[in-house]
């Protein structure tokens, strides 16, 4: 049964990567990636839940989760786009990953459903707050 579960997770992860790639705006990569995950939660809530809720081995910190889930070049890309340090970009990205996972999960399990506009507005407000926090973040 574990083999089947792992195969399902692998197939879902592949689908998610293709879905996100097809729905991002190359002119606004960071924000549109987060929005694509929210759109996925709306359109494919069961796949979103499998993607988010599958067991992740070897995770004992949020940094471990970040290293597992994030593309290594993302923080550098964000740093260059926003003219912030890589440490600030990692903190912003981690906060947005956590936030998007949470709000996406809420979105995927509510009926009749929260409006997409409300979710995107909240996600943008979180981005602005986390950006302001990241600008004050210094690597310790």
């Amino acid at each position: 049964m574990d083999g089947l579960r792992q195969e399902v997770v692998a197939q879902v992860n592949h689908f998610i990567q293709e879905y996100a790639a097809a729905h991002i705006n190359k002119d606004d990569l960071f924000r549109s990636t987060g929005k694509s995950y929210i759109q996925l939660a709306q359109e494919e809530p069961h796949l979103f839940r499998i993607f988010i809720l599958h067991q992740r081995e070897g995770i004992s910190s949020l940094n471990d989760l970040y290293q597992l889930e994030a593309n290594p070049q993302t923080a550098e890309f964000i740093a260059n786009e926003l003219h912030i340090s890589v440490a600030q970009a990692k903190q912003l990205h981690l906060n947005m990953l956590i936030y998007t996972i949470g709000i996406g999960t809420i979105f995927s399990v509510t009926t009749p459903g929260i409006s997409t506009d409300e979710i995107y507005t909240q996600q943008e407000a979180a981005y602005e707050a986390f950006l302001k926090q990241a600008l004050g973040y210094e690597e310790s």
Side-chain angles (χ1 to χ4, degrees):
M1 191 63 151
D2 280 341
L4 176 60
R5 188 175 296 122
Q6 290 172 352
E7 181 59 29
V8 168
V9 168
Q11 290 294 323
V12 168
N13 285 343
H14 179 71
F15 174 82
I16 301 292
Q17 287 175 352
E18 288 184 350
Y19 184 95
H23 289 85
I24 59 172
N25 175 348
K26 293 185 183 356
D27 294 329
D28 193 8
L29 193 62
F30 183 52
R31 280 187 173 122
S32 67
T33 300
K35 285 185 175 186
S36 74
Y37 283 100
I38 298 301
Q39 186 176 350
L40 174 71
Q42 178 185 31
E43 293 177 8
E44 299 290 347
H46 298 291
L47 295 180
F48 182 83
R49 282 179 274 187
I50 290 170
F51 172 66
I52 295 302
L53 299 176
H54 76 272
Q55 187 68 32
R56 289 165 172 85
E57 301 292 329
I59 304 297
S60 60
S61 70
L62 291 174
N63 187 55
D64 290 346
L65 180 66
Y66 184 82
Q67 296 302 320
L68 178 70
E69 297 293 329
N71 180 318
Q73 290 103 20
T74 302
E76 291 174 19
F77 174 82
I78 294 167
N80 289 333
E81 285 292 307
L82 298 177
H83 309 290
I84 60 177
S85 72
V86 172
Q88 290 169 316
K90 280 183 181 178
Q91 187 62 46
L92 173 61
H93 191 209
L94 175 62
N95 285 341
M96 286 307 299
L97 281 172
I98 293 167
Y99 186 83
T100 300
I101 288 168
I103 201 163
T105 301
I106 292 167
F107 193 44
S108 74
V109 298
T110 55
T111 56
I114 302 166
S115 81
T116 308
D117 288 341
E118 183 177 359
I119 296 292
Y120 289 151
T121 298
Q122 190 63 40
Q123 189 180 35
E124 184 64 25
Y127 168 78
E128 294 296 332
F130 289 138
L131 177 59
K132 186 180 287 189
Q133 179 188 38
L135 291 173
Y137 174 79
E138 294 298 324
E139 190 169 24
S140 342

